[in-house]
């Protein structure tokens, strides 16, 4: 399946979840915010939220500094 990830086309296997996407992006364990089709997906629901062909996903991760 193909999704839009941060404005770019991105290929994933059918049945992938938000948690699986985060793993593929090597962002596991980092503080990230995920928006799926304009709705924020709470971290507690990442593993249970499937992605579908054509979904629009925005992933933002916090970068510390000071």
């Amino acid at each position: 399946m193909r999704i839009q990830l941060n404005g770019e086309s991105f290929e994933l296997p059918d049945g992938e979840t938000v948690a699986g996407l985060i793993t593929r992006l090597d962002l596991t364990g980092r503080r990230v915010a995920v928006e799926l089709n304009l709705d924020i997906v709470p971290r507690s629901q990442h593993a249970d939220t499937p992605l579908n062909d054509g979904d629009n996903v925005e992933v933002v991760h916090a970068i510390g500094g000071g």
Side-chain angles (χ1 to χ4, degrees), residues 1 6 8 10 14-16 18 36 39 43 45-47 57 59 63:
M1 79 175 144
N6 296 341
E8 301 284 330
F10 194 82
D14 290 341
E16 189 65 276
V18 170
L36 174 59
D39 291 321
R43 180 182 298 264
Q45 295 178 13
H46 286 182
V57 181
V59 177
I63 299 175

Side-chain angles (χ1 to χ4, degrees), residues 9 14-15 20 22 25-26 34-35 40-41 45 47-49 52-53 63-64 66:
S9 183
D14 290 341
I22 290 170
L25 297 175
D26 200 26
V34 179
E35 181 183 279
I40 298 295
V41 179
Q45 295 178 13
D48 298 323
T49 302
N52 298 297
D53 192 55
I63 299 175

Side-chain angles (χ1 to χ4, degrees), residues 19-34:
L21 174 62
I22 290 170
T23 298
R24 288 179 186 280
L25 297 175
D26 200 26
L27 295 174
T28 302
R30 297 190 187 184
R31 295 183 64 190
V32 297
V34 179

